[in-house]
Amino acid sequence: MKLLVLGGSWFLGREVVEEAKQRGWEVTTFNRGRSAPDPEGVTAVHGDRSDPASLAYLAELGPWDAVVDTSASEMPPKVVLEGTRALAGATGRYVYVSTVSVYQGWPDEALTETSPVLPCPADAGPEYGAMPPGADGPNTHYGTQKAGAENAVLEVFKDRSVVLRPGVILGPGEYVGRLPWWLRRTETGGRILAPGDPARSIQPVDVRDVAAFAVDQAQAPTGGVYNVTAPVGRETMGGFLRSCLEVTGSTGELVWAPDAFLVDQGVRQWTELPLWRTHAGVWRIDSAGAYAAGLTCRPLEQTVEDTWAWLQADGRPVDHPRWAEHGMDPEQEARILAALGSGLS
């Protein structure tokens, strides 16, 4: 198999490359060459996928059996559309990594692959779906843009396309900072503010499992659309944080605070206490289609353990602005713990 990876230098893209190499595939990567060093053992091509000349040059280097696109997270649909058109004759299949944020009901409703998706044309520009200044309601701009990018892939590759919709991806090399923050916080010890119900189901998926499934789909006989999450109910927030305590050797104490209390304290959901969100559908994503197609998800405890090992080995994530968004200031945590102990709300 000959595989083209759009991206390929960090986190999911790099794991896709490594998975394909382990299978003996011939791998080409295409990126700007700015985020991280190119993996060893690949044909590395540098260019800008928003530049028609770069795309034309890339297409001339084919053909490939499949392409896995991991690098379009911040690109408008029209850029993805131009890329798919440029590669339509140079590759057999197109595996596009999208997100559960494309669903109209995210994160308030339980979701399946047939749930309604946000409307967005395949040729939309970057402003399509942007929230007007001062508008109320959830900001669906990111999900709308990704839905349009999905449409771009489906429009050009049709039944030769595969769309993957992961939820939260964790694991070694994470650049967002969710799991690394919790690991560093539990390592510090003391009284640790823990969010919500410890029995709450959570569904993070390991980056290596997403990569393996993407490579599987690159050689699958049919296309499809798949949610990619761990099973509902298998993992819990309490189990996750206990794993963080165990792998770091911490003697810290988890102090659980009810959702309503944290909301009253103004804690930002999803970021200040990573993975905490009160919306009913955030961890109710049905990925049965992906399981039937071969997705396997390792225990979250293993993801925690391997990520800690990566950090201890001086693992350095790619510099990314989202890292700074995650985690709580120690002084704020202390104030909230004091308020919790006093019964204030």
Side-chain angles (χ1 to χ4, degrees):
M1 284 280 291
K2 297 179 65 176
L3 181 69
L4 170 64
V5 180
L6 301 182
S9 64
W10 51 296
F11 202 40
L12 177 56
R14 199 174 194 92
E15 291 296 339
V16 168
V17 169
E18 294 304 320
E19 178 69 26
K21 285 167 53 182
Q22 289 177 16
R23 301 186 190 193
W25 294 11
E26 182 181 332
V27 181
T28 300
T29 59
F30 178 72
N31 54 61
R32 293 177 298 176
R34 299 176 184 174
S35 298
D38 294 307
E40 296 182 0
V42 305
T43 300
V45 182
H46 292 163
D48 187 341
R49 60 185 293 175
S50 65
D51 173 32
S54 289
L55 290 173
Y57 172 73
L58 176 65
E60 291 176 356
L61 301 179
W64 298 275
D65 297 294
V67 56
V68 176
D69 185 353
T70 67
S71 69
S73 61
E74 307 297 334
M75 295 179 180
K78 67 177 184 180
V79 172
V80 178
L81 180 62
E82 291 164 359
T84 55
R85 287 172 173 168
L87 294 173
T91 185
R93 296 171 61 74
Y94 200 109
V95 180
Y96 176 68
V97 181
S98 184
T99 170
V100 295
S101 297
V102 300
Y103 290 112
Q104 294 181 23
W106 166 260
D108 298 308
E109 303 172 4
L111 300 171
T112 71
E113 286 97 344
T114 60
S115 297
V117 172
L118 293 163
C120 183
D123 60 353
E127 298 306 317
Y128 192 96
M131 296 287 288
D136 294 327
N139 189 341
T140 60
H141 184 219
Y142 173 71
T144 298
Q145 289 276 302
K146 293 290 279 187
E150 287 187 5
N151 287 333
V153 174
L154 293 166
E155 178 181 304
V156 175
F157 278 83
K158 300 180 172 60
D159 60 358
R160 296 188 292 145
S161 59
V162 178
V163 174
L164 307 184
R165 294 172 179 161
V168 171
I169 303 176
L170 302 179
E174 183 198 335
Y175 64 90
V176 175
R178 296 182 176 107
L179 177 49
W181 184 83
W182 275 118
L183 286 166
R184 292 304 187 191
R185 175 63 193 91
T186 52
E187 178 190 24
T188 301
R191 299 176 74 236
I192 302 167
L193 184 62
D197 182 356
R200 172 177 285 146
S201 171
I202 60 175
Q203 296 178 269
V205 61
D206 192 288
V207 63
R208 295 161 293 184
D209 296 330
V210 180
F213 187 62
V215 175
D216 285 343
Q217 291 307 303
Q219 62 177 350
T222 59
V225 176
Y226 301 101
N227 293 336
V228 185
T229 65
V232 175
R234 194 186 73 177
E235 313 286 356
T236 65
M237 193 69 182
F240 166 67
L241 292 184
R242 287 191 295 272
S243 293
C244 290
L245 287 170
E246 291 171 4
V247 302
T248 59
S250 175
T251 59
E253 174 194 2
L254 298 175
V255 181
W256 292 92
D259 290 336
F261 174 82
L262 294 173
V263 171
D264 287 344
Q265 292 293 315
V267 178
R268 292 196 307 274
Q269 298 190 40
W270 212 231
T271 54
E272 284 192 311
L273 292 174
L275 306 185
W276 170 65
R277 203 166 188 176
T278 61
H279 299 73
V282 68
W283 299 120
R284 295 174 60 199
I285 303 163
D286 183 0
S287 295
Y291 307 145
L295 171 67
T296 59
C297 297
R298 71 195 68 199
L300 183 54
E301 180 181 3
Q302 183 178 342
T303 303
V304 172
E305 181 178 347
D306 292 347
T307 303
W308 178 242
W310 166 69
L311 288 172
Q312 291 297 97
D314 200 27
R316 297 182 183 274
V318 170
D319 186 28
H320 196 280
R322 293 183 67 186
W323 185 278
E325 298 174 359
H326 291 84
M328 180 175 286
D329 179 82
E331 293 184 0
Q332 180 186 5
E333 181 185 19
R335 288 195 299 270
I336 294 174
L337 285 168
L340 180 65
S342 67
L344 299 177
S345 62

